[in-house]
Structures are given as C-alpha cells and as structure tokens.
C-alpha cells in the first residue's frame, strides 16, 4: 500500500477570504432587491449556478483548489449581505480532515473459488471494489447470502440472525445482500438500516466483508456509469480524539475506521455468485422487485481478492454563516438551511467530457441557500430564530461534511432545532408538486404543507423509497443527530411527462459530465421554488413551538428536544 501524505494546511482554508478581491472580476452576480420578477429572480439564482458549475471549477472535488475557490465565492456572498461568521476561530469556515482511499483496479483482482478452483472476475464488468471503507490488502472467505441485509431488531426484523442463517454462521464469511426490503417495513427505516447499523451488524456477526447487488429497478443509471465511478477516490472522516464523545452523544454518527472488504456486483452478472447454491439471481430479483421476503443460504463458492490502494489525506471546509434572530429567547435556537458545494471533480470521460460540473448536483442547492440568505437578510424583518446557513463539503463521499458538523457543531450543542436541506431540487419542469424526504417524521410537515398551500404547491412524501433517497442527502446527518429535517425535490405523477423528464435526467445526467450549464432549466420554476423555500424557512423560524419528531417516528429515539 503506497501512502501519500498531502494534508492541506488548515491556514490555507482559514485565509481563503484573501482571494475575494481577485474574484470580483470573475462575473459574480450582485445582490438585488427583495421583490423582483420571477425572470429576474431566476436569473439571479442561475448566475450563482453558472459561476459554481463553470468548467474552471473542475467539478469542485472535496479539498481541491477549485473547491476552495468556490468556497471563497460563497463566503463573499454571505459577507456582502451582512451575515456573521459562525465557523471556527471567528471565520466562516469549519475545516474537516479526511482520509482518502483510491483503489488501483489494474493492480487488484477478484475471483470466485469453487472446490479450490479460482474463476477470475473482471473488475469493471463483473464487480467494482469499494473505496469508502478501508480495504484489506487480501481476503479469502466463503460467501453467504443474507437477503436484504437489514438489521432492525427494534422492529423484529434481522437478516443477520435468522432461522435459515443464524448469526454464528456468518463468522469469517463475506455476506452478499441485495438492495430493497419487504413491503411491510417503512422506506426510511429500510434506508436507515443501510447506514451505520449495517457495518455495525457485519462487525458484530464476525463477518469479514460485504458484496452488495443493486437491483436494476433501484438503479438511477446503468452499470457502465456505476463502474466508471470506481476510479473516483473514496473518503472517510479522519480518526479524531473527539470520536468517542460523538459516539456517546449521537451513536448513529459514530465512525468506523477498521478494514472491511466491500464490493458491488453487476446485477447482470450476479448469477455467477449463485451457481451451485440451488437458487438463481432471477429468482431473488423477482422477489426483491415485489418487495417480498428473501431466503438466506450459503452460496456454493467463496471469494478471493487482492486490493491495491493508494491513500492520502486532505482538509476541506464546511462553510457556516448566521443571521441572528430577533426574539430575545428564540434567537438562541437555530434553523439550518443547507446544501453541499462539492461534486465529483474530473474523472472518466463521458461524451468526450471529463469535468463532472455538478450544476444541478448541487450548485443549484447552494444557489438557493445563497438566494434565501439574500432575500431574508435584505427583507428588513428578521425571523425570531437565528438562521444558520450551512454549505457542506464531501457530501458526494458519504455525507461526510454534514456528518462532521452534526457531531461537532460550531454553535452550542442542541441549539439547532431543524434543518431544511437542498440537494438537486431539479427545476427542469413547472413546479406543481414537491416530494419531501422526512415529511412523515416530524412536525416540520405542518409548515411544509401550510406554505405549500399558500404557493399552490402539492406537498407529498417519497414515492420511490427503495432508491434510498432518505439517506443520500445531508439532511440525514441531522436526522441521525436527532434534529428534525426535510429535503425536497420537484415532484411528479407516475407516467407523466414530468416523471419521464426526471427519469431521463437520472439516466443521462446524474453523476455525469452532462450535469453542466448546457442543460435545459426552468428559471421561472426555480424562482417559484426559491420563494416557497424562503417562506418555509421563515415559517419554521417564527413558529413559537420547537419542531419535534412525531411519536410514530422511529427516529424520535435520536431526538435532542423530545
């Protein structure tokens, strides 16, 4: 394993504002009046996107010079509207340290082992090796299939300890699991089980690795793009002295720093795993697509793998700004408004382009955070609660920036009472409906529905829970820390032109070089959404009642303000 030491100096981040003057000549948008037409408002929003997703930003990879340039731009905007720094040491920045792992595919190998005979697998075509969890240099272990791989003993469901496959049978094995879950489990609960409880369950069972198989139904895009992502570096939060304290306060935020073999298998090739088991992947897939219970059984082979990795270290900042509240008591509480600044940087070419610009994902969300800050700060009427504007790093690496902030807040512990998060909210057609993650979990639904009604927008829950969107945006870090949170995207009805546009965007542009400034965007719809979002922020910040989880919510157990 070759180790490259490249910790960026923290001072480089904290002094990033020295670049502000140079950026003034870069075509940055200027703040406008609070009341403007939808067209002008949409153009002001798009000007931020245009700056952040320009090719010169090279995809804003976490810790890159271009990411820091984008961060400086965001800070410059906050300063121009009079927002106060709320990072560390009197700055707008919260530096976050990361361990970086890149898997060197050409020097790595995987093979299935049957009766001592190895059958090589083709990395890229058959499977890809995981990059986020620290990989062992080599592994040899039998394979067992454990169905969905959900560990939810709280609701009487546990794929890690079943009649067919008791926990003791998993020791020393690599577990194989498929995405999804039975229909009688709520979507957010199934998604939750795919985060910290999954690795914890693997460790506790004594298993030594995991191979996951996505179902074609749950995949946003084809396997070829999944495989191309294997060249991207993975990241995890660097081990820190504060980890034990974070684990005690918020166990769901605890980090795992140990080695664990991880891989993802191409569903089109997954029958190779099931040969000799008495089962076929087609059988398993049919059950999973119908959200039915899955069998658990030993597979007829094992896995042999050698994994070559290159490790390094980097520092990249979250950005934190505050607009103090007006109420003498409530101003000590914060409503967070958040989005992520990072994207995928430069990678494998798609359509002869190598820059993954991330215009919708998530320059669009950052632009709305900025426009919300501008609109409310310049309105002349401050909300009762303080507003905490958060722009996160390393979302694309596993929500790491937001997870670090949730465990190490730069404001008093427990003072953040709600998070409203934005991540590719998708203004690519007219705004009639919003799909809201977390809607069924907390009292924030009341404000969302009330403000939606004022703006003639239908507010609905997630219609595709097995896409696991609930755990794929930064709001989930706040959920794990016990803070009520919402995230939202433009909604659609199944089979409608809007649905077809949404699915086409996922297939063609999501995590692709085509998520750039050339794509069609509905600026009037974006402006309409921004108006709704600013009003929602005001409504939550002005409500005399503190937001809280509903008694029916599984996530109430994490709540800071029960």
């Amino acid at each position: 394993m070759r180790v490259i030491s490249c910790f960026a100096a923290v001072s480089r981040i904290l002094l990033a504002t020295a670049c502000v003057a140079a950026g003034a000549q870069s075509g940055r948008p200027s703040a406008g009046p609070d009341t403007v037409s939808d067209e002008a408002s949409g153009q002001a929003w798009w000007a931020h996107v245009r700056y952040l997703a320009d090719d010169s930003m090279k995809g804003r990879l976490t810790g890159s010079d271009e990411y820091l340039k984008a961060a400086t731009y965001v800070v410059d905007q906050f300063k121009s509207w009079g927002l106060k720094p709320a990072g560390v040491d009197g700055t707008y920045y919260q530096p976050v340290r990361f361990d970086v792992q890149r898997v060197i595919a050409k020097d790595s190998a995987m093979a299935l082992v049957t009766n001592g005979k190895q059958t090589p697998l083709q990395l890229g075509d058959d499977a890809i090796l995981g990059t986020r969890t620290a990989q062992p240099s080599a592994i040899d272990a039998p394979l067992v299939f454990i169905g969905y791989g959900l560990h939810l003993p709280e609701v009487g469901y546990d794929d890690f300890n079943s009649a067919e496959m008791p926990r003791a049978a998993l020791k020393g094995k690599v577990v194989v699991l498929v995405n999804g879950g039975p229909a009688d489990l709520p979507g957010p609960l199934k998604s939750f089980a795919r985060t910290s409880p999954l690795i914890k369950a693997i460790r506790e069972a004594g298993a030594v690795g995991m191979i996951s198989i996505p179902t074609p139904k749950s995949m946003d895009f084809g396997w070829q793009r999944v495989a191309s992502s294997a060249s991207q570096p993975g990241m995890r939060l660097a081990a820190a002295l504060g980890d034990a304290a974070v684990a005690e306060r918020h166990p769901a935020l605890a980090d795992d720093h140990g080695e664990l073999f991880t891989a993802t298998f191409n569903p089109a090739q997954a029958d190779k795993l099931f040969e000799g088991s008495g089962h076929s992947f087609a059988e398993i897939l049919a059950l999973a697509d119908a959200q039915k219970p899955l069998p658990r059984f030993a597979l007829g082979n094992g896995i042999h793998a050698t994994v070559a990795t290159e490790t390094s270290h980097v520092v990249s900042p979250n950005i934190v700004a505050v607009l103090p509240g007006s109420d003498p008591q409530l101003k000590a509480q914060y409503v967070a408004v958040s989005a992520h600044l990072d994207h995928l940087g430069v990678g494998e070419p798609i359509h002869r382009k190598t820059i993954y610009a991330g215009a919708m994902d998530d320059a669009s969300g950052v632009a709305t955070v900025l426009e919300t800050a501008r609109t409310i700060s310049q309105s002349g009427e401050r909300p009762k609660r303080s507003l905490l504007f958060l722009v996160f790093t390393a979302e694309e690496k596993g929500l790491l920036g937001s997870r670090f902030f949730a465990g190490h807040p730069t404001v008093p512990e427990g003072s953040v009472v709600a998070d409203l998060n934005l991540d590719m909210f998708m203004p690519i057609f007219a705004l009639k409906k919003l799909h809201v993650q977390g809607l069924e979990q907390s009292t924030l639904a009341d404000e969302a529905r009330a403000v939606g009604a004022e703006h003639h927008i239908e507010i609905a829950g997630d219609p595709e829970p097995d896409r696991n969107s609930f755990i794929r945006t930064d709001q989930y870090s706040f959920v794990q820390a016990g803070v009520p949170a919402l995230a939202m995207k433009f909604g659609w009805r199944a089979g409608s032109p809007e649905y077809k546009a949404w699915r086409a965007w996922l297939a063609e542009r999501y995590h692709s070089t085509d998520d750039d400034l050339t794509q069609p965007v509905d600026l009037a719809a974006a402006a309409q959404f921004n108006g709704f979002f600013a009003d929602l922020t005001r409504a939550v910040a002005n409500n005399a009642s503190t937001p809280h989880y509903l008694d029916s919510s599984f996530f109430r157990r994490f709540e800071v303000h029960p």
Side-chain angles (χ1 to χ4, degrees), residues 21 94 122 148 171 202 366 378 394 509 536:
Q94 181 192 38
Q122 185 67 42
Y148 296 111
K171 187 174 182 179
I202 291 173
V366 174
Q378 295 186 346
R509 299 185 187 275
L536 175 61

Side-chain angles (χ1 to χ4, degrees), residues 11 81 85 102 139 205 290 298 315 355 374 378 392 456 469 472 523:
S11 59
W81 302 320
R102 189 185 295 274
I139 190 168
V315 176
I355 296 173
R374 179 191 63 79
Q378 295 186 346
F392 294 120
H456 308 289
S469 295
R472 290 166 57 185
L523 295 184

Side-chain angles (χ1 to χ4, degrees), residues 360-521:
M360 288 297 102
D361 186 14
D362 184 32
S364 67
V366 174
T368 293
V369 169
L370 292 173
E371 285 300 287
T372 303
R374 179 191 63 79
T375 297
I376 297 179
S377 66
Q378 295 186 346
S379 68
E381 184 176 350
R382 291 193 175 185
K384 294 179 181 179
R385 288 187 177 86
S386 298
L387 299 182
L388 196 65
F389 294 97
L390 293 164
V391 177
F392 294 120
T393 189
E395 187 273 351
E396 299 290 1
K397 304 304 180 183
L399 317 185
L400 298 183
S402 59
R403 186 145 60 90
F404 184 80
F405 181 88
H408 305 81
T410 59
V411 294
E413 178 78 25
S415 63
V416 177
V417 298
D419 174 57
L420 303 175
N421 187 65
L422 295 155
D423 191 357
M424 47 183 264
F425 63 91
M426 300 307 297
I428 59 174
F429 42 75
L431 176 55
K432 302 173 185 176
K433 183 179 184 180
L434 286 172
H435 288 150
V436 181
Q437 299 290 340
L439 188 67
E440 305 86 355
Q441 307 301 323
S442 77
T443 57
L444 291 176
D446 297 336
E447 285 94 344
R449 292 192 174 103
V451 176
E454 293 171 3
H455 285 257
H456 308 289
I457 299 169
E458 179 185 353
I459 304 297
D462 181 9
E464 298 180 314
D466 283 349
R467 287 188 62 246
N468 294 319
S469 295
F470 184 75
I471 62 171
R472 290 166 57 185
T473 60
D474 285 315
Q475 57 87 25
Y476 184 62
S477 295
F478 289 92
V479 172
Q480 291 178 297
V483 178
L486 300 177
M488 57 208 75
K489 287 180 171 62
F490 276 37
W492 36 260
R493 298 187 186 280
S496 67
E498 291 82 4
Y499 173 77
K500 293 174 182 176
W502 160 241
R503 294 306 306 185
W505 190 91
L506 289 176
E508 298 163 11
R509 299 185 187 275
Y510 180 43
H511 282 193
S512 163
T513 57
D514 286 339
D515 180 13
D516 60 12
L517 298 175
T518 68
Q519 65 187 298
V521 178

Side-chain angles (χ1 to χ4, degrees), residues 512-555:
S512 163
T513 57
D514 286 339
D515 180 13
D516 60 12
L517 298 175
T518 68
Q519 65 187 298
V521 178
D522 189 330
L523 295 184
Q528 183 187 358
F529 175 82
N530 289 345
F532 159 84
F533 190 78
D535 285 349
L536 175 61
T537 301
R538 290 186 180 100
V540 175
N542 286 327
N543 191 331
S545 299
T546 302
H548 61 86
Y549 280 95
L550 303 177
D551 290 345
S552 59
S553 173
F554 174 86
F555 301 100

Side-chain angles (χ1 to χ4, degrees), residues 222-266:
W223 177 258
Q224 184 177 6
R225 202 178 321 155
V226 174
S228 71
S229 69
S231 64
Q232 292 278 342
M235 294 185 184
R236 56 189 176 275
L237 293 174
L241 294 176
D243 280 356
V246 171
E248 184 177 350
R249 297 194 310 272
H250 305 298
L253 291 173
D255 291 318
D256 184 281
H257 297 288
E259 289 185 347
L260 186 74
F261 174 77
T262 57
T264 303
F265 219 88
N266 183 352

